[in-house]
Amino acid sequence: MSRMSQSECQDTLRQLIHQRLSYPFEEESATRPALLLRHDSHMDEMLAKHIPEAALRKLDDRVPTDLFSELRPVTSLFVQLHLAADIDAMALCPILCHVIRMMLEILSPHNGEVNKVLLFDKGCTFLCLFGLPGLKLPYESVHALQSALQIFTLCSTMHVEIEAVSVAVTSGTVFCGVTGHPERHEYTVIGQKVNLAARMMVHYPGLVSCDAATYAASRLPPWCFKELPEREMKGVGHPGTVYQYVGITEESMLGMGLTKERSEDVPLLGREKEVDLFVSCLKAYEDLGQRHILAFEGTMGSGTSHLLTELAYLGQAAGHKVVAMELLEANVRQPFSAICRLMARALGLQDCESCADKQRVLQTKLRGTIEESSYCLLNDIFRVEFPVSDKVREMCEMQRRAELHSTWVNVFEKVIGGEFGIFIINNAHFIDPASWRIMSPVLRNVSHFTVVSLAPGYTRTESFCKAAADSATSQEITYLHLDELKPSAVVQKVCQDLGVVSIPRDLARFLIQRSSGIPYYCEELLRCLRCNDMLLFRARRQGGKAEDNWESLITSAAEASALAATSSSRVGSDGRVCIIRPDVNLENTVLPDTLKEIALAQLDQIKPLKQAVLKFAAVIGPVFTTQLLLHILPAGMRHKMNCLLDMLVCDNILKWLKNTEVPEDDRDPATGPATSPEAESSVERPSPSKETVEQQSGVLAFCVPLLREAAYELWPESQRVVLHRKCAAFLEQHAHKCKSCSQGDFVAFHRFAATSTQDGGSCQGPAAQGDSRSWEALVLAGEQLKRERTHATEDAADALQQQQALTEEDVGVAAWLLAKSEQTTELPSKTNGQHTSARSCECKAIVESVLVPLARHYMATGDAARAFYYLLECAAAYLHVSNSYMALMKLNEAEVLRNSLEKKADAIARFEEATFFSLKGEVCCRMGRMKLAKKMMREALRLLKRPFPRTSVGAFVRSQVEKLPCAAFAARRASSLPQEARRKRLAWLLRQSRCLSLLEHLFSLEGTSSGQRFSRLAARMKANTDRAADSYQAADSHHRWS
């Protein structure tokens, strides 16, 4: 961005001073009254030059000011100039102007900005920022380090008044946005990493220092850094290792080959097609001797480095000399760096220890290629000391450049000709323009075999792509885009990296979806999981009997559903297996900073207003409905929603799943889907506004999960919580069974027994309709979410040898009992019988799009009670649709949440505890753990105040008590209670009946006299409970109809 010149600045100040009296000031109580200017287009244009570009882009795109703030990874660069003590203000002004102008020239190509200039009695400090919204670049840390070194070098030699320069660079997540009083807003960054950079600048003077995060994110060779001694810094508890950045020197770069090392024990996975292509092209080159370039294009992290390392090994194994090198992003701005490094490695200069050794090698290898008088032209390039010949000394600058170019061409023709075998260049898109002007014509005229890797979005990549498409050169260039790894290859890679024989299906699904088949993404996600101790490793179970407890059931289920990289016959029985730590939910895993930086670089390519809509959608989830998005959008953005969504679809960031628009004749917005007594008690639905009816109705999904997670994590915590509450309020209207299943709670009358979960307000706003369009859209969204969950590992499972898998869609040994119990735990609806046969069950979709997100939304808001409530609803819903595995997983999440709340008194209601144990009992029964199921059901009945005896004596006493008449008393009490209390009691009775029904079945399976006695007792207790429940149902029906 252009900045105001000194004359423009003086003119602006003159106008302000001249018109000062005519402008209103803030009230006198203000410490620094703000000057409120009248609207003036010329003044706006002048002052806009002093607003950070990131903020200006959002202002120009009409993004609301309260959406400016973000939590984003930013690289902070502090520069401190230690000035002479006797310098006066008149001398200081031109120095600072010169320094700022120089900094802007260095920072602008790297999308960096000067954010603050602070002048103290001891010097001047500058805060420079990289990665502000809209300005994120790949390799951001490299850009910052190179800029820091350039600023350090120039400031150190620019003015004698600058006695010393200190530069510090840190990377990390900070608050980035608007701060200060509304009349004095400032767009800046605040955070621990910013403070760390300021401290490092002071405690490591006279050099360029960086923190460990910047060192790791740069992915530069270790010889670019020096580890610095640890120093205590005020306000910084654990700064980590601090490094000095010394830069990329030309001498060190001469010996830089491929950075990836090949391991004999770790084969390259998923690249069979690319390896076969290399072998066939190499054979054609050997047979015909024609020049050929094999170019592989792949995004960052697609595995080009590993692929080229493997190809280099195959070339050497075939008896060829292989010259391989890897270029860095910095090489683009270093003239002749690419050709210099290629020739240095081809000539063997990287092995020379002294200047004299280099000179001897050059004279030996290039004898007859260039004249003796021209060797001195290679001095500055290869760091040698040939004497300057008279011929070269007498040349003018233009003649010397022409002679140098001619020398380069001759040397390159000598090097690239077939004598030196195969050339491999990793990151060929970083070839500098000066080198390319020499290499391009030679590559078209000399016989050679070269393999290069390229990344999309670079000029050099486009030139290779055009040459491959050109009919004149297409025979000489083979251009191949690297595809993503197949799911089976991802599973194999994960097992290979972890050193295990199998991984859990949930872990495979997580890595396949998040990595999108890109190896580097998979490696970073795996590294993040291991660094946070989310994975456990142990020896594979040898077939011994497992312990009969809940933890053992979780482990057994995870092992049974695991994906194995190889068959058990090949790995042996003593191999290690990987499991997920029981208290870990992979869906809540924070995105690693390395992947967040890559995703944000893609997000920052779109306009701020589209990015804002994307951030709102990210809160909802990977699949969302337009009705819910409209509900949480600010009022000022709702009229633009359809247009913005269509543009995001065109950008391949979102995709439409289906349009669920209902014909005009069929629309009945006032009619909700819930007609059962349970659903009738839900929040009232406001009538739709004209704006809502006109909005497009449909379901969308994120094309790349990584972008959604990166957009979600940009939200500050307070705004994120508010949005989660809005989403929960909208979804709660649809948290019930479908019409064909009587529309009640999945845990019968759950909402009345756990009244605390209904506090917190209803769904308000123009998008808050419980109409048929919202329901249909949620059903469609749920079907998509189920497909993504269940089909993510199907390809991997088909391609790999599996262990005995636990099927999700199972109907266990107690299926008939649960079906029978369903009939007794639901109230008859006014619409019963009308939809059961006419409509198919939609509960499978609703649990995915409503109940599971509700639990996630309430967890994000910190409302543990509601989160526990909806986790139980999820488990009950999965049992309702015969999905025992997912019910087990949701109950495990509830177990973790319950354990975290044990220290809080009455955090979970008694009925919730009882429901929790009864659902665990049902899952245990379906999975064949009968003894554990009885234990869980007994505990549930104890909490429900209907204890079941454990001994024969207790069973005899209880059977006598159950024979006593109590139906009349239950009927009188039911009619005397208010409706809310009656329904709450009914929920307890129905839950008791369900537990007793299951116990009756479990004891009947024992086949012993004791088992039959307990089974008869359970049946008698259930019959009495059902009679009491019928009394309460009759009273409720009478009250409703009256």
Side-chain angles (χ1 to χ4, degrees), residues 844-998:
K844 290 182 180 180
I846 289 302
V847 65
E848 302 288 350
S849 63
V850 177
L851 298 180
V852 172
L854 273 170
R856 177 175 61 86
H857 289 310
Y858 278 123
M859 284 292 290
T861 62
D863 193 336
R866 292 194 185 190
F868 192 81
Y869 172 94
Y870 281 108
L871 284 173
L872 296 183
E873 281 288 300
C874 288
Y878 280 123
L879 287 172
H880 174 71
V881 299
S882 300
N883 191 338
S884 301
Y885 178 79
M886 286 306 300
L888 177 68
M889 294 298 103
K890 291 304 170 184
L891 287 173
N892 184 48
E893 290 182 37
E895 174 92 9
V896 174
L897 180 59
R898 175 175 171 270
N899 293 339
S900 67
L901 298 174
E902 282 184 347
K903 296 181 180 180
K904 299 181 181 179
D906 301 327
I908 299 177
R910 187 182 183 97
F911 180 80
E912 299 288 83
E913 284 270 354
T915 303
F916 173 62
F917 280 101
S918 68
L919 292 173
K920 289 172 76 172
E922 291 184 35
V923 171
C924 292
C925 180
R926 291 197 181 201
M927 294 188 169
R929 298 292 186 92
M930 305 305 177
K931 183 178 179 181
L932 186 59
K934 287 186 284 188
K935 178 181 177 182
M936 295 296 176
M937 286 301 174
R938 276 194 167 106
E939 178 63 18
L941 287 170
R942 184 190 69 80
L943 292 168
L944 291 169
K945 300 179 182 179
R946 193 87 159 95
F948 192 82
R950 297 179 180 274
T951 63
S952 299
V953 175
F956 174 75
V957 173
R958 170 55 64 181
S959 64
Q960 298 305 311
V961 172
E962 293 296 325
K963 293 178 182 179
L964 298 175
C966 57
F969 170 75
R972 288 194 302 271
R973 184 181 182 188
S975 60
S976 64
L977 289 176
Q979 185 183 31
E980 287 295 323
R982 187 165 54 245
R983 290 185 172 181
K984 184 174 182 178
R985 179 57 184 163
L986 183 57
W988 284 65
L989 291 172
L990 294 176
R991 184 52 38 184
Q992 292 173 6
S993 176
R994 194 175 183 89
C995 295
L996 291 167
S997 179
L998 188 61

Side-chain angles (χ1 to χ4, degrees), residues 458-477:
Y458 291 89
T459 305
R460 201 69 58 229
T461 304
E462 294 176 1
S463 64
F464 274 98
C465 187
K466 290 179 181 178
D470 190 352
S471 59
T473 56
S474 59
Q475 298 297 322
E476 302 172 359
I477 299 179

Side-chain angles (χ1 to χ4, degrees), residues 587-712:
E587 299 303 319
N588 299 331
T589 304
V590 178
L591 202 63
D593 286 341
T594 50
L595 300 188
K596 191 186 299 183
E597 180 177 311
I598 296 172
L600 288 180
Q602 300 176 36
L603 280 177
D604 281 355
Q605 301 301 314
I606 64 177
K607 290 186 176 181
L609 197 58
K610 290 195 290 184
Q611 191 176 124
V613 172
L614 212 60
K615 287 166 59 180
F616 280 99
V619 177
I620 302 174
V623 179
F624 60 93
T625 67
T626 54
Q627 293 93 334
L628 180 49
L629 178 61
L630 186 71
H631 173 67
I632 66 174
L633 279 177
M637 295 177 61
R638 287 173 181 160
H639 67 284
K640 302 178 182 178
M641 184 188 75
N642 286 342
C643 179
L644 293 170
L645 289 177
D646 287 336
M647 288 191 288
L648 288 168
V649 170
C650 292
D651 294 337
N652 292 322
I653 296 174
L654 299 177
K655 58 183 177 181
W656 285 104
L657 297 183
K658 186 180 179 182
N659 189 298
T660 58
E661 194 72 42
V662 179
E664 289 290 336
D665 296 338
D666 296 338
R667 290 183 186 175
D668 186 9
T671 303
T675 56
S676 71
E678 297 178 50
E680 286 176 357
S681 65
S682 62
V683 294
E684 295 182 0
R685 301 173 180 87
S687 60
S689 64
K690 179 180 178 181
E691 177 187 18
T692 304
V693 175
E694 292 177 352
Q695 290 291 343
Q696 186 176 5
S697 176
V699 182
L700 296 101
F702 282 81
C703 296
V704 182
L706 221 59
L707 292 183
R708 186 199 74 83
E709 294 187 32
Y712 173 78

Side-chain angles (χ1 to χ4, degrees), residues 26-294:
E26 289 291 287
E27 56 189 45
E28 295 180 359
S29 60
T31 306
R32 292 192 304 157
L35 188 61
L36 304 179
L37 303 178
R38 295 195 185 106
H39 178 70
D40 185 341
S41 58
H42 176 68
M43 188 70 66
D44 291 347
E45 184 180 350
M46 301 291 282
L47 294 178
K49 298 180 179 181
H50 292 272
I51 299 176
E53 186 176 346
L56 196 60
R57 290 176 74 248
K58 295 191 175 187
L59 287 172
D60 292 341
D61 215 23
R62 300 294 189 269
V63 176
T65 311
D66 55 351
L67 299 182
F68 274 35
S69 301
E70 294 180 349
L71 292 176
R72 66 160 43 218
V74 168
T75 302
S76 307
L77 189 154
F78 266 97
V79 181
Q80 186 174 50
L81 306 181
H82 302 269
L83 303 172
D86 56 348
I87 189 171
D88 57 12
M90 295 300 294
L92 179 61
C93 185
I95 293 176
L96 293 184
C97 289
H98 188 196
V99 170
I100 292 176
R101 192 176 301 112
M102 176 270 299
M103 284 186 177
L104 291 175
E105 292 175 356
I106 294 174
L107 297 173
S108 294
H110 302 278
N111 282 6
E113 288 192 355
V114 178
N115 184 259
K116 287 181 185 293
V117 182
L118 308 172
L119 188 61
F120 299 97
D121 56 345
K122 296 181 181 180
C124 186
T125 301
F126 303 84
L127 170 59
C128 308
L129 299 174
F130 297 82
L132 292 177
L135 302 173
K136 198 79 172 176
L137 288 177
Y139 310 101
E140 179 181 282
S141 298
V142 178
H143 289 286
L145 290 171
Q146 291 174 1
S147 301
L149 193 60
Q150 283 183 272
I151 292 172
F152 175 82
T153 303
L154 291 177
C155 289
S156 300
T157 59
M158 183 179 294
H159 296 279
V160 295
E161 291 84 358
I162 301 177
E163 296 180 343
V165 182
S166 303
V167 184
V169 184
T170 58
S171 300
T173 301
V174 299
F175 172 85
C176 174
V178 176
T179 61
H181 190 275
E183 298 298 341
R184 286 193 170 275
H185 275 160
E186 178 186 13
Y187 192 86
T188 187
V189 296
I190 301 173
Q192 183 180 2
K193 285 293 185 176
V194 182
N195 299 337
L196 176 60
R199 298 299 181 191
M200 287 168 50
M201 173 190 66
V202 174
H203 288 83
Y204 296 94
L207 49 83
V208 178
S209 59
C210 70
D211 65 338
T214 306
Y215 167 82
S218 69
R219 302 174 69 185
L220 290 172
W223 39 259
C224 294
F225 302 87
K226 291 182 180 178
E227 188 172 333
L228 295 173
E230 183 178 350
R231 293 177 183 173
E232 185 176 348
M233 292 180 272
K234 182 180 178 181
V236 181
H238 302 283
T241 307
V242 179
Y243 298 88
Q244 178 187 357
Y245 178 65
V246 298
I248 306 173
T249 62
E250 293 184 9
E251 289 186 359
S252 59
M253 287 175 60
L254 292 180
M256 187 174 175
L258 297 178
T259 56
K260 300 296 181 182
E261 296 183 1
R262 183 184 185 275
S263 174
E264 294 287 346
D265 301 326
V266 183
L268 186 67
L269 297 173
R271 297 301 180 202
E272 293 78 9
K273 180 177 69 174
E274 290 79 5
V275 171
D276 292 342
L277 179 62
F278 169 80
V279 173
S280 61
C281 290
L282 180 59
K283 188 175 188 312
Y285 171 70
E286 293 172 341
D287 296 340
L288 304 176
Q290 295 179 350
R291 55 182 173 273
H292 198 83
I293 297 177
L294 181 57

